Amino acid sequence: MSRLDVEVVVVGAGVMGLATARSLARGGRSVALVEQFELGHTHGSSHGGSRIFRLSYPDAAWVLLAQEALSIWRELEAEAGEPLIERYGSLDLGDWRPNREALSASGISFELLKGRELARRFPLDVDGGETGLHQADGGIIRADAALAALEASAVAAGAQLLEGTRIAAIEPNREGVTMSGDGISIRADVVVVTAGAWARGLLAPLGVALEVEPTRETVSYFELATDEPVPSLIDFAEGAGPGQLGYALMAPGVGLKAGIHHTGALADPDEPGVVDAEIAGWTAEWVNKRFRGAAPKGELETCLYTNTADESFVLERHGRVVVGSACSGHGFKFAPVVGERLAALASETGRARQA
Ligand SMILES: Cc1cc2nc3c(=O)[nH]c(=O)nc-3n(C[C@H](O)[C@H](O)[C@H](O)COP(=O)(O)OP(=O)(O)OC[C@H]3O[C@@H](n4cnc5c(N)ncnc54)[C@H](O)[C@@H]3O)c2cc1C
């Protein structure tokens, strides 16, 4: 059995773990990032080509967090030498009034566009009586490129990456935390658990009850009728599937990615991901109503949400254990700022009592 001794171990190398390891390593901490699969795998929450980026949120606190994240994404772009955020705009249909208030309070510009104007600018079917909120700084994050950029930056700053290593148990004690798995024993001062849908099971034996429910969501891909990019759309107006909101965004090199928010069944993350044909059907129906001439590509994939009841994130410290559970279907855009918050929690001194 090999042994490793570092200041901080981060368990789980999805986008949150990568961002946390990057922040810690850049802050001069010795850090190991441990991942049960290979980076970029498709069993968790962070895979795929794109995620919505938007400043438009119904609460000014989220707007501020998205602004903070954007500036770190821009720094990372400069470091990686390639674009990570594509500025296609974001569009909210339905009750966008809280978003309008939050954006106004944050001094961020936006446009309210009538249905006709929206249909003229974009290949969208929007009723003449509808109005949408368009915000130009929204768009997409190139998710796979973002993961690669975070990894490169973390490794360049000194983080050690251990792939194919599943941490079986975490044991905090007075001197530190020990972990073992797949032929390695690791000792650290602090552990950060960014294990996505697996976090609840990993934390329960430590007496840390994470109030989250993993669900397996199904997303579908479509061919757009034109080469013109569309803004990332969140549709509160046209009830999709069982009355949930439909969302759609550009998928670079593929076309359009779409789904119906929070419709997947409760899931065991260790079970293989199986797409839900009923959700795919609702998605195709909604896309057919909203995107003129879009055609299904027959490409479907699954992705895990880890949901808190109010879609907030859990970022907290219990003795030597820091918990970072930031999914709930909208976490990717915030990863760099979540990484900084978790790194700061891990670096707090005087909090190393046993969890
Ligand atoms: C369908 C879908 C659409 C989404 N759309 C958007 C969007 O448009 N915009 C947006 O901002 N966000 C979006 N999100 C949310 C975003 O993708 C997630 O918030 C984010 O990817 C969560 O990352 P994570 O690192 O917490 O989890 P994960 O990516 O799942 O990473 C956790 C990692 O921990 C590893 N792990 C678990 N247990 C262990 C262990 N014991 N030992 C070692 N490794 C372990 C896992 O293998 C995994 O790699 C969406 C999510 C889904 C599912």
Side-chain angles (χ1 to χ4, degrees):
M1 166 136 354
S2 59
R3 294 187 185 282
L4 186 65
D5 195 328
V6 287
E7 283 176 88
V8 188
V9 166
V10 179
V11 179
V15 70
M16 302 303 168
L18 284 163
T20 306
R22 173 181 185 259
S23 291
L24 284 162
R26 283 161 62 93
R29 313 298 304 273
S30 69
V31 51
L33 173 59
V34 187
E35 169 55 47
Q36 61 182 339
F37 302 117
E38 78 292 356
L39 243 76
H41 69 85
T42 58
H43 310 292
S45 303
S46 300
H47 54 283
S50 61
R51 292 289 187 282
I52 293 176
F53 181 83
R54 59 188 163 110
L55 296 180
S56 179
Y57 262 87
D59 184 319
W62 287 112
V63 177
L64 190 66
L65 210 63
Q67 282 181 295
E68 203 181 326
L70 180 57
S71 70
I72 311 177
W73 284 121
R74 292 295 184 213
E75 278 171 31
L76 189 64
E77 278 182 335
E79 195 182 332
E82 63 167 332
L84 301 175
I85 304 229
E86 303 282 0
R87 198 167 170 269
Y88 300 137
S90 67
L91 178 63
D92 300 306
L93 293 174
D95 187 8
W96 37 256
R97 283 167 189 79
N99 298 44
R100 177 184 63 187
E101 304 318 319
L103 288 168
S104 300
S106 312
I108 293 172
S109 61
F110 57 86
E111 291 174 284
L112 295 178
L113 300 174
K114 296 274 184 216
R116 267 216 192 136
E117 176 62 5
L118 284 168
R120 192 185 65 73
R121 281 207 211 175
F122 309 112
L124 291 172
D125 273 328
V126 189
D127 194 85
E130 283 184 85
T131 301
L133 187 155
H134 181 258
Q135 207 290 317
D137 300 307
I140 64 162
I141 307 171
R142 296 165 54 92
D144 44 11
L147 294 186
L150 286 169
E151 178 195 355
S153 179
V155 169
Q160 295 184 61
L161 178 59
L162 302 174
E163 294 176 86
T165 306
R166 180 172 174 126
I167 296 297
I170 297 172
E171 291 167 26
N173 55 51
R174 204 175 278 278
E175 283 76 41
V177 199
T178 55
M179 282 146 278
S180 58
D182 299 316
I184 191 160
S185 165
I186 312 177
R187 197 219 72 92
D189 298 334
V190 181
V191 60
V192 182
V193 177
T194 48
W198 289 264
R200 191 175 56 177
L202 205 51
L203 290 164
L206 305 176
V208 178
L210 196 54
E211 302 291 331
V212 294
E213 283 189 334
T215 56
R216 197 175 306 280
E217 307 294 325
T218 295
V219 298
S220 311
Y221 290 89
F222 299 82
E223 186 108 43
L224 281 166
T226 75
D227 290 338
E228 285 303 299
V230 293
S232 294
L233 172 61
I234 299 202
D235 188 0
F236 298 94
E238 183 70 56
Q244 289 290 70
L245 62 88
Y247 65 86
L249 60 152
M250 295 301 295
V254 186
L256 187 75
K257 172 180 176 178
I260 312 297
H261 184 55
H262 206 168
T263 38
L266 290 178
D268 173 348
D270 285 321
E271 295 283 321
V274 177
V275 297
D276 185 323
E278 189 176 29
I279 298 175
W282 294 331
T283 309
E285 220 172 279
W286 173 72
V287 166
N288 187 42
K289 280 188 200 150
R290 281 304 192 193
F291 291 86
R292 278 195 308 274
K297 292 187 77 124
E299 289 175 30
L300 305 173
E301 69 189 20
T302 61
C303 181
L304 292 168
Y305 273 9
T306 309
N307 306 291
T308 53
D310 62 357
E311 304 206 337
S312 63
F313 300 161
V314 182
L315 311 175
E316 52 192 35
R317 180 163 172 163
H318 301 260
R320 293 187 181 275
V321 181
V322 175
V323 180
S325 181
C327 184
S328 292
H330 69 130
F332 201 107
K333 66 182 75 59
F334 300 110
V337 66
V338 166
E340 294 209 338
R341 298 286 194 277
L342 292 176
L345 280 174
S347 302
E348 279 179 5
T349 50
R351 301 216 21 205
R353 69 192 156 71
Q354 191 166 345

